[in-house]
Amino acid sequence: MSNLRCRALEDEYLEILRELDGDTEGRGLASSYLASAHPVADREGTPTWALTPKVLSSAELGILRDAAETFGRILEKVTARYQSDPDFRARFALPAEQEALALTPTGYDRLIPFARVDVLFDEETGEFTLAGAATDSSLGMTASVEVTRAVQLTEAYRRFAERHPGIETFDVTGGVLDALRETYMSWANADSGTKHPERPAVGIVDYPESATASEFADIVERLADEGVFARLVDIRDLRIEEAGGHRRLVDSQGPIACVYRRVLLSEMLEKPCAGADALVEAARRGLTCVIGGFNTWPVSTNALFAVLTSDAVKDVLDHEELAFVRAHVPETHLLDRTTDLAPYLAEPERWLARPAGAYRANEAVSGASCADRDDWWRVLLGCAEEGGVVQELGRTYRSSVVLGAPAVGDDVDHGSDLVEVENVLGLFLFSGKFGGVYARGGYDGEIGPWSNRVTMGCLVVRE
């Protein structure tokens, strides 16, 4: 497609950085901003961000917007069928406890209030392959915003913006707040008892050891600006109490009318506690609005693509949606102990294995990355034992980025911190509408592919 300009714009940005000898002063300003803002780091605490942003033109943005919203409609339809059809539910092969919770009514209109759809996007052709969907606690919202703001403090950005004055960025956190507000106001019990329909007490619920604290703090601060009292809530602190004839969900700081659930359903079952039981009871009895209800779980699991690429969805999706699945969802198969693994063992370069449970981009193991066939065989056996999937490996798009933080790894050009990364774009959906991009990449390190992860800012150039 001749109107695609993403690669040319990113090459132009790299050239500006070269002209500035790496823009040392700008890098320092960006680093100082990130040090004082909400932290951007990987799970090991290492800063991982790029001085060079992902730059999209209107053409690429249109493709990505359509892809995200089309897939959002598919997720809604699949979730609705899961709720109503036992035979369809069986296709996901979820444990009984997970299936039972996933059938809990939410009391509000939209089935999937939040989602992040990950795609492998070819910037030169506009072609893309879906990698997965995160509907049960999707991450990356604050990181994408903060890195974009940091990049905008640099001289390189200033010079780039002089050439392209029509630059836009995404307020992803704002999209979260809008979806929270819209979902709560559509909840059946939003104005019952002592609840406030516009400014409910909000609890962002998770296990502290798993919580993305910087992202939660960002949301709490933004809600406070709107006059809404919100707080991070340790799920273990939740309980049901009665006051004034009303039963309600509370923690140590008081009642909670609205829960933004960030705790994974699977983790709730792996770490049972009285607080988790209280959250389930509150959801089932309509005592609190649980946004991101338990019904989002099935389409957030790695079984989703296996269902979509089977014949089970022929009467669930319309013709255009079925064509979209055929074109963009990789062939995927759900494994169990009876599965013949020989076809996947014979073509390790074609497949990757994903564990059972929630989709996480960094948990896939490709056959090509394994040391030898025996190593790949062990991965397949483990995946089959726990009920994971094998998925056809999509072609990743590679581009060069300049790291904003000191790099590690033998493949890094230490003179400029220039690395070549495989790109994944996370497309945010809020109430079914496209809301921004979480751009990130990965490059090889001592423990294999994607052992180093990089968050990129995202700019949209409209000309």
Side-chain angles (χ1 to χ4, degrees):
M1 296 178 67
S2 59
N3 59 340
L4 298 179
R5 301 182 57 228
C6 180
R7 185 57 184 261
L9 290 166
E10 290 174 1
D11 287 345
E12 180 184 338
Y13 204 103
L14 280 169
E15 182 57 33
I16 291 173
L17 269 175
R18 280 191 284 268
E19 293 170 359
L20 293 169
D21 294 324
D23 194 3
T24 302
E25 184 177 350
R27 185 193 302 241
L29 289 170
S31 296
S32 295
Y33 170 79
L34 289 173
S36 62
H38 301 288
V40 177
D42 63 20
R43 292 182 180 181
E44 291 72 42
T46 305
T48 52
W49 59 280
L51 196 60
T52 45
K54 180 63 56 186
V55 187
L56 305 173
S57 71
S58 297
E60 290 94 5
L61 187 64
I63 293 170
L64 296 173
R65 181 189 301 276
D66 288 346
E69 294 187 355
T70 299
F71 199 60
R73 291 191 294 273
I74 290 171
L75 294 178
E76 286 275 326
K77 287 186 175 182
V78 169
T79 301
R81 178 60 66 91
Y82 186 95
Q83 299 289 309
S84 63
D85 185 343
D87 292 334
F88 188 74
R89 281 200 294 276
R91 294 276 190 157
F92 286 81
L94 296 184
E97 284 186 286
Q98 293 183 14
E99 181 178 296
L101 281 176
L103 297 178
T104 306
T106 63
Y108 50 75
D109 299 335
R110 181 165 292 277
L111 295 172
I112 311 290
F114 309 102
R116 194 194 73 230
V117 179
D118 283 353
V119 298
L120 308 178
F121 180 68
D122 189 316
E123 299 173 7
E124 297 174 59
T125 66
E127 297 176 355
F128 62 89
T129 301
L130 275 73
T135 61
D136 212 76
S137 188
S138 56
L139 305 174
M141 294 173 283
T142 294
S144 61
V145 171
E146 295 289 33
V147 173
T148 301
R149 290 174 176 169
V151 165
Q152 290 180 295
L153 297 174
T154 66
E155 175 64 16
Y157 172 81
R158 189 190 68 77
R159 293 191 184 187
F160 184 78
E162 281 184 348
R163 301 179 187 181
H164 306 282
I167 289 179
E168 298 175 5
T169 60
F170 299 106
D171 180 13
V172 184
T173 308
V176 177
L177 304 189
D178 290 343
L180 282 169
R181 185 185 307 106
E182 178 182 329
T183 304
Y184 182 79
M185 292 182 72
S186 74
W187 182 49
N189 297 330
D191 57 359
S192 65
T194 60
K195 300 182 182 71
H196 195 294
E198 296 177 0
R199 291 191 296 278
V202 176
I204 305 175
V205 175
D206 206 344
Y207 288 93
E209 64 270 25
S210 303
T212 311
S214 60
E215 192 159 274
F216 297 174
D218 186 20
I219 294 169
V220 167
E221 290 167 14
R222 292 283 296 268
L223 284 170
D225 291 341
E226 298 186 5
V228 175
F229 175 56
R231 58 193 183 271
L232 172 60
V233 176
D234 183 341
I235 190 172
R236 298 181 181 93
D237 290 343
L238 291 174
R239 65 186 186 278
I240 304 291
E241 71 171 24
E242 185 170 332
H246 296 281
R247 300 183 76 222
R248 57 189 187 177
L249 183 71
V250 303
D251 71 348
S252 59
Q253 296 188 52
I256 300 169
C258 177
V259 166
Y260 176 21
R261 183 177 69 86
R262 291 294 295 258
V263 56
L264 288 175
L265 183 146
S266 58
E267 189 174 10
M268 286 175 56
L269 297 175
E270 291 164 4
K271 302 176 180 178
C273 62
D277 294 340
L279 179 61
V280 171
E281 182 181 353
R284 285 176 171 164
R285 297 183 180 278
L287 305 181
T288 191
C289 179
V290 180
I291 301 181
F294 304 124
N295 63 315
T296 67
W297 178 249
V299 296
S300 195
T301 66
N302 287 320
L304 171 65
F305 282 7
V307 175
L308 287 177
T309 54
S310 73
D311 61 2
V313 294
K314 287 184 178 179
D315 65 342
V316 177
L317 308 179
D318 64 29
H319 293 301
E320 289 185 1
E321 291 159 349
L322 287 170
F324 179 90
V325 167
R326 287 193 295 270
H328 302 296
V329 176
E331 180 183 346
T332 306
H333 301 279
L334 193 62
L335 304 181
D336 61 33
R337 295 174 182 175
T338 68
T339 303
D340 179 10
L341 301 177
Y344 315 118
L345 183 66
E347 297 182 281
E349 70 286 346
R350 183 185 170 194
W351 302 99
L352 56 79
R354 292 190 183 278
Y359 161 75
R360 292 186 178 94
N362 63 321
E363 289 188 349
V365 178
S366 66
S369 70
C370 291
D372 51 38
R373 190 153 296 196
D374 287 343
D375 189 26
W376 176 231
W377 177 245
R378 285 188 289 272
V379 170
L380 289 172
L381 283 175
C383 197
E385 180 70 22
E386 68 168 23
V389 303
V390 287
Q391 181 175 307
E392 190 170 22
L393 187 64
R395 189 174 74 87
T396 57
Y397 185 80
R398 301 181 72 91
S399 64
S400 295
V401 303
V402 175
L403 299 181
V408 293
D410 294 335
D411 57 345
V412 178
D413 178 350
H414 291 280
S416 64
D417 286 326
L418 185 73
V419 298
E420 187 177 67
V421 299
E422 296 182 357
N423 289 262
V424 175
L425 299 184
L427 313 179
F428 289 110
L429 285 167
F430 304 119
S431 299
K433 299 297 183 183
F434 174 72
V437 176
Y438 175 31
R440 60 207 193 277
Y443 60 96
D444 295 357
E446 293 180 358
I447 60 174
W450 267 79
S451 56
N452 296 302
R453 298 184 293 279
V454 182
T455 296
M456 294 171 264
C458 188
L459 309 177
V460 178
V461 172
R462 296 192 184 275
E463 295 174 332

mmCIF file of all heavy atoms in Angstrom, residues 46 82 119 126 130 179 196 202 210 229 319 351:
data_model
loop_
_atom_site.group_PDB
_atom_site.id
_atom_site.type_symbol
_atom_site.label_atom_id
_atom_site.label_comp_id
_atom_site.label_asym_id
_atom_site.label_seq_id
_atom_site.Cartn_x
_atom_site.Cartn_y
_atom_site.Cartn_z
ATOM 1 N N THR A 46 14.020 -3.534 35.553
ATOM 2 C CA THR A 46 14.971 -2.871 34.656
ATOM 3 C C THR A 46 14.237 -1.886 33.755
ATOM 4 O O THR A 46 13.263 -2.266 33.102
ATOM 5 C CB THR A 46 15.689 -3.912 33.782
ATOM 6 O OG1 THR A 46 16.291 -4.885 34.617
ATOM 7 C CG2 THR A 46 16.736 -3.247 32.905
ATOM 8 N N TYR A 82 -20.865 -18.065 24.675
ATOM 9 C CA TYR A 82 -20.344 -18.838 25.801
ATOM 10 C C TYR A 82 -21.353 -18.856 26.945
ATOM 11 O O TYR A 82 -21.562 -19.879 27.593
ATOM 12 C CB TYR A 82 -19.022 -18.243 26.278
ATOM 13 C CG TYR A 82 -18.323 -19.062 27.342
ATOM 14 C CD1 TYR A 82 -17.345 -19.989 27.001
ATOM 15 C CD2 TYR A 82 -18.640 -18.919 28.685
ATOM 16 C CE1 TYR A 82 -16.703 -20.755 27.974
ATOM 17 C CE2 TYR A 82 -18.019 -19.672 29.667
ATOM 18 C CZ TYR A 82 -17.045 -20.582 29.305
ATOM 19 O OH TYR A 82 -16.432 -21.340 30.264
ATOM 20 N N VAL A 119 -1.324 -7.374 17.988
ATOM 21 C CA VAL A 119 -1.171 -7.726 16.575
ATOM 22 C C VAL A 119 0.292 -7.656 16.169
ATOM 23 O O VAL A 119 1.074 -6.854 16.706
ATOM 24 C CB VAL A 119 -1.995 -6.805 15.644
ATOM 25 C CG1 VAL A 119 -3.482 -6.940 15.932
ATOM 26 C CG2 VAL A 119 -1.558 -5.350 15.767
ATOM 27 N N GLY A 126 0.966 -3.307 5.475
ATOM 28 C CA GLY A 126 -0.316 -3.143 6.152
ATOM 29 C C GLY A 126 -0.952 -4.454 6.560
ATOM 30 O O GLY A 126 -2.039 -4.463 7.147
ATOM 31 N N LEU A 130 -3.171 -11.504 14.239
ATOM 32 C CA LEU A 130 -3.482 -11.355 15.656
ATOM 33 C C LEU A 130 -2.606 -12.282 16.485
ATOM 34 O O LEU A 130 -2.328 -13.413 16.084
ATOM 35 C CB LEU A 130 -4.957 -11.642 15.923
ATOM 36 C CG LEU A 130 -5.892 -10.445 15.724
ATOM 37 C CD1 LEU A 130 -6.067 -10.127 14.263
ATOM 38 C CD2 LEU A 130 -7.253 -10.703 16.356
ATOM 39 N N ALA A 179 -14.525 4.451 30.098
ATOM 40 C CA ALA A 179 -15.175 3.138 30.086
ATOM 41 C C ALA A 179 -15.664 2.753 31.474
ATOM 42 O O ALA A 179 -16.745 2.164 31.620
ATOM 43 C CB ALA A 179 -14.214 2.083 29.541
ATOM 44 N N HIS A 196 -23.655 6.216 44.811
ATOM 45 C CA HIS A 196 -23.718 7.451 44.034
ATOM 46 C C HIS A 196 -23.555 7.089 42.556
ATOM 47 O O HIS A 196 -22.546 6.494 42.175
ATOM 48 C CB HIS A 196 -22.602 8.415 44.466
ATOM 49 C CG HIS A 196 -22.810 9.814 43.982
ATOM 50 N ND1 HIS A 196 -22.781 10.159 42.648
ATOM 51 C CD2 HIS A 196 -23.072 10.965 44.656
ATOM 52 C CE1 HIS A 196 -22.988 11.452 42.515
ATOM 53 N NE2 HIS A 196 -23.176 11.975 43.723
ATOM 54 N N VAL A 202 -14.510 3.699 44.358
ATOM 55 C CA VAL A 202 -13.929 2.721 43.434
ATOM 56 C C VAL A 202 -12.774 1.987 44.106
ATOM 57 O O VAL A 202 -11.892 2.612 44.705
ATOM 58 C CB VAL A 202 -13.433 3.405 42.145
ATOM 59 C CG1 VAL A 202 -12.751 2.390 41.227
ATOM 60 C CG2 VAL A 202 -14.595 4.077 41.419
ATOM 61 N N SER A 210 1.034 -9.065 42.670
ATOM 62 C CA SER A 210 0.857 -9.166 41.219
ATOM 63 C C SER A 210 0.459 -7.838 40.587
ATOM 64 O O SER A 210 0.434 -7.722 39.362
ATOM 65 C CB SER A 210 -0.220 -10.208 40.897
ATOM 66 O OG SER A 210 0.108 -11.467 41.440
ATOM 67 N N PHE A 229 -13.411 9.063 44.652
ATOM 68 C CA PHE A 229 -12.469 8.452 45.585
ATOM 69 C C PHE A 229 -12.191 7.020 45.142
ATOM 70 O O PHE A 229 -13.094 6.184 45.076
ATOM 71 C CB PHE A 229 -13.037 8.457 47.003
ATOM 72 C CG PHE A 229 -12.171 7.743 47.999
ATOM 73 C CD1 PHE A 229 -10.841 8.106 48.177
ATOM 74 C CD2 PHE A 229 -12.666 6.689 48.742
ATOM 75 C CE1 PHE A 229 -10.034 7.447 49.081
ATOM 76 C CE2 PHE A 229 -11.868 6.018 49.659
ATOM 77 C CZ PHE A 229 -10.540 6.409 49.824
ATOM 78 N N HIS A 319 -20.567 -13.199 7.999
ATOM 79 C CA HIS A 319 -19.628 -13.548 6.925
ATOM 80 C C HIS A 319 -18.357 -12.701 6.968
ATOM 81 O O HIS A 319 -17.245 -13.205 6.766
ATOM 82 C CB HIS A 319 -20.317 -13.403 5.565
ATOM 83 C CG HIS A 319 -21.418 -14.398 5.320
ATOM 84 N ND1 HIS A 319 -21.204 -15.759 5.329
ATOM 85 C CD2 HIS A 319 -22.751 -14.227 5.083
ATOM 86 C CE1 HIS A 319 -22.342 -16.399 5.097
ATOM 87 N NE2 HIS A 319 -23.307 -15.485 4.957
ATOM 88 N N TRP A 351 5.620 -23.570 14.637
ATOM 89 C CA TRP A 351 4.692 -23.505 15.749
ATOM 90 C C TRP A 351 5.283 -22.845 16.986
ATOM 91 O O TRP A 351 6.490 -22.841 17.183
ATOM 92 C CB TRP A 351 4.231 -24.918 16.140
ATOM 93 C CG TRP A 351 3.584 -25.661 15.029
ATOM 94 C CD1 TRP A 351 4.149 -26.600 14.225
ATOM 95 C CD2 TRP A 351 2.233 -25.507 14.578
ATOM 96 N NE1 TRP A 351 3.243 -27.060 13.309
ATOM 97 C CE2 TRP A 351 2.055 -26.410 13.502
ATOM 98 C CE3 TRP A 351 1.156 -24.722 14.993
ATOM 99 C CZ2 TRP A 351 0.843 -26.536 12.822
ATOM 100 C CZ3 TRP A 351 -0.053 -24.836 14.315
ATOM 101 C CH2 TRP A 351 -0.199 -25.735 13.242
#
